[in-house]
Amino acid sequence: MRKLIISIILLTGMMLYSFAQPRSIGTLVGATGAKVSYQHSLNADQFISIDAGVDLGYNVSGHLGAKVTGAYNFIWARPKWTTKGSWNIYAGPGISAGWVEDRGVIKIGEERANTFSKGFMIAAVGQVGIEYNFSFPLQLSLEVRPSIGIHMIEKSISFYDNGFLGFIPALGIRYNF
């Protein structure tokens, strides 16, 4: 019984500690779509970001896709460009998965054809960004997030070339709490 009580106290303490870390939630809008964005600080120099939302991709068929991305970021610079608020420059690796439309090569009989189709994708992500935290609970960020991976279309696997649209900067607007 005593071990159970100690375990519950330790688990509660860890949960309270994790909730006490700075967090932010908002939106991230870029060339590939709009996403709900969540950031959670792990310590003063590291945070995780999780984004889920609509993927526009090539959008040839007019049907939207969905994508989830998670990244582990390291803050590697804190420039003192302003007297109020704070700046962070960050970068980190991540992973992305979703059901999206992309260009793929499928085999039709003996011929190979390029097509735009929906399918499952998984990709490695590299994220680089800059953010400004105002003196009130608002955060603005500008980031690039290219990805490289595979796209599975109709029993074939092709290169996920839509990931290069991640080189176009995305704007993030988040509420800090």
Side-chain angles (χ1 to χ4, degrees), residues 11-177:
L11 184 60
T12 304
M14 287 188 302
M15 285 176 38
L16 290 174
Y17 176 75
S18 71
F19 288 127
Q21 301 301 314
R23 301 176 303 282
S24 59
I25 191 165
T27 186
L28 186 66
V29 179
T32 60
K35 300 166 189 72
V36 174
S37 179
Y38 175 76
Q39 289 183 350
H40 186 90
S41 294
L42 301 173
N43 58 37
D45 295 328
Q46 301 170 7
F47 67 92
I48 58 171
S49 62
I50 300 169
D51 305 319
V54 175
D55 181 74
L56 298 176
Y58 288 107
N59 200 17
V60 174
S61 67
H63 296 32
L64 301 176
K67 187 166 37 171
V68 175
T69 303
Y72 187 84
N73 296 289
F74 302 93
I75 297 173
W76 54 272
R78 287 192 165 88
K80 300 290 184 193
W81 292 330
T82 57
T83 56
K84 290 186 177 182
S86 64
W87 290 89
N88 293 324
I89 300 174
Y90 57 91
I95 190 164
S96 184
W99 186 262
V100 299
E101 183 173 60
D102 196 27
R103 181 178 22 211
V105 178
I106 61 171
K107 191 173 181 180
I108 302 172
E110 294 296 318
E111 295 184 25
R112 298 170 66 86
N114 284 329
T115 183
F116 287 93
S117 296
K118 283 200 175 289
F120 177 76
M121 64 73 68
I122 188 162
V125 173
Q127 179 170 301
V128 177
I130 185 168
E131 67 185 17
Y132 180 70
N133 295 295
F134 288 89
S135 55
F136 50 93
L138 179 66
Q139 175 191 85
L140 293 178
S141 68
L142 197 60
E143 58 190 49
V144 293
R145 188 185 289 175
S147 60
I148 185 167
I150 59 173
H151 191 231
M152 292 170 248
I153 304 171
E154 299 179 19
K155 300 180 184 178
S156 69
I157 296 176
S158 62
F159 178 71
Y160 177 63
D161 62 344
N162 190 15
F164 293 125
L165 292 175
F167 279 111
I168 300 170
L171 174 66
I173 302 170
R174 298 179 191 90
Y175 170 73
N176 290 328
F177 60 99

